[in-house]
Amino acid sequence: MTTIKGVLFDFSGTLLRIEPAESWLRAALTATGVAMDEAELARRAAELERAGALPGGSSPVALPDGLAGLWEIRDRDAARHRALYTGLARQVPLPAEELYDALYARHMTAAAWRPYPDAAEVLAELRRRGVRTGVLSNIGWDLRPVLRAHGLARYLDSCVLSFEHGLQKPDPRLFAVACRELGLDPSTVLMVGDDRTADGGATALGCAYLPVDHLPVERRPDGLRPVLDLVG
């Protein structure tokens, strides 16, 4: 059996989880000084969630024709990512135009993300064992400040983001970049992630794959701990 020498983690839904749509919208309202009563806030937040407008949240119930193509390549560069998600948000009527940009800005802040309860513990233990670790994420913005703010960056050896390479998982070329960043052969690397298609694509390159469930943080207290059993 091949010894695992490195572990790559997905970001959203694996190490951290985005805030609920209601707190996301509430933060944007606060940032812009726009008022909305509680009933309307709850209603519009639910509509934004159904639209798939919150990055890291639910996928759209239905994609508008004009955005369907963009959805497939949204994580290949920052401009596409912003255009896709602000476009999805604009499917929902909001009381001020500036809210759409404020919503997008909010999701890139550390305050919008919560680490899973066992994330720091597992990363620290891997570091203690001499196992190299990295983040490999399909994303359209630089998540490193979020990792630093939550105290996770100190345990990581690399961070490979799709928009910086013009590639997105499950493209084997992106997994190859991440393995090179760790300085390891893919056969000795474990990929951990919540998307069985995107993250599971690591197996095409010869990596192992461990799926985790994309659940709210309070419902997944120890979903990352099986990683420690796999690396021995």
Side-chain angles (χ1 to χ4, degrees):
M1 183 177 179
T2 302
T3 300
I4 298 297
K5 298 179 180 178
V7 183
L8 292 168
F9 292 90
D10 176 50
F11 173 71
S12 174
T14 299
L15 287 177
L16 299 96
R17 169 79 182 224
I18 192 67
E19 67 186 328
E22 278 197 31
S23 64
W24 176 53
L25 177 54
R26 192 182 304 278
L29 290 166
T30 299
T32 56
V34 176
M36 186 182 286
D37 67 50
E38 288 298 312
E40 185 183 7
L41 190 155
R43 184 169 61 253
R44 296 306 185 192
E47 291 173 0
L48 286 164
E49 187 163 11
R50 287 194 296 273
L54 175 56
S58 302
S59 296
V61 171
L63 272 169
D65 290 340
L67 296 176
L70 198 54
W71 175 263
E72 298 301 322
I73 57 173
R74 64 192 181 279
D75 295 316
R76 294 186 192 174
D77 68 55
R80 286 171 175 153
H81 193 271
R82 176 181 284 275
L84 183 277
Y85 283 104
T86 55
L88 290 171
R90 283 188 168 87
Q91 306 306 303
V92 178
L94 294 177
E97 176 64 23
E98 60 264 31
L99 279 168
Y100 299 108
D101 285 335
L103 285 169
Y104 190 81
R106 167 67 183 184
H107 101 275
M108 296 187 289
T109 66
W113 295 89
R114 292 177 61 194
Y116 282 95
D118 56 347
E121 171 194 338
V122 169
L123 289 172
E125 177 59 18
L126 291 171
R127 171 59 61 93
R128 189 190 70 79
R129 296 184 189 184
V131 177
R132 294 183 63 77
T133 58
V135 163
L136 172 55
S137 178
N138 277 356
I139 200 162
W141 51 277
D142 186 358
L143 54 79
R144 295 175 184 90
V146 175
L147 294 172
R148 287 195 293 269
H150 287 290
L152 302 182
R154 73 186 79 170
Y155 305 119
L156 297 167
D157 298 295
S158 69
C159 189
V160 174
L161 310 179
S162 61
F163 83 100
E164 294 181 338
H165 299 274
L167 302 167
Q168 61 189 56
K169 297 177 289 184
D171 192 322
R173 293 175 294 174
L174 192 60
F175 293 108
V177 170
C179 290
R180 284 199 301 271
E181 288 288 314
L182 289 182
L184 296 172
D185 186 273
S187 65
T188 67
V189 173
L190 171 68
M191 178 72 210
V192 182
D194 65 297
D195 189 322
R196 285 160 174 77
T197 298
D199 300 314
T203 59
L205 197 66
C207 300
Y209 171 56
L210 175 69
V212 293
D213 293 322
H214 188 128
L215 294 170
V217 292
E218 62 273 10
R219 291 176 53 199
R220 211 196 77 193
D222 54 7
L224 294 172
R225 290 202 178 102
V227 173
L228 300 178
D229 297 327
L230 292 174
V231 300

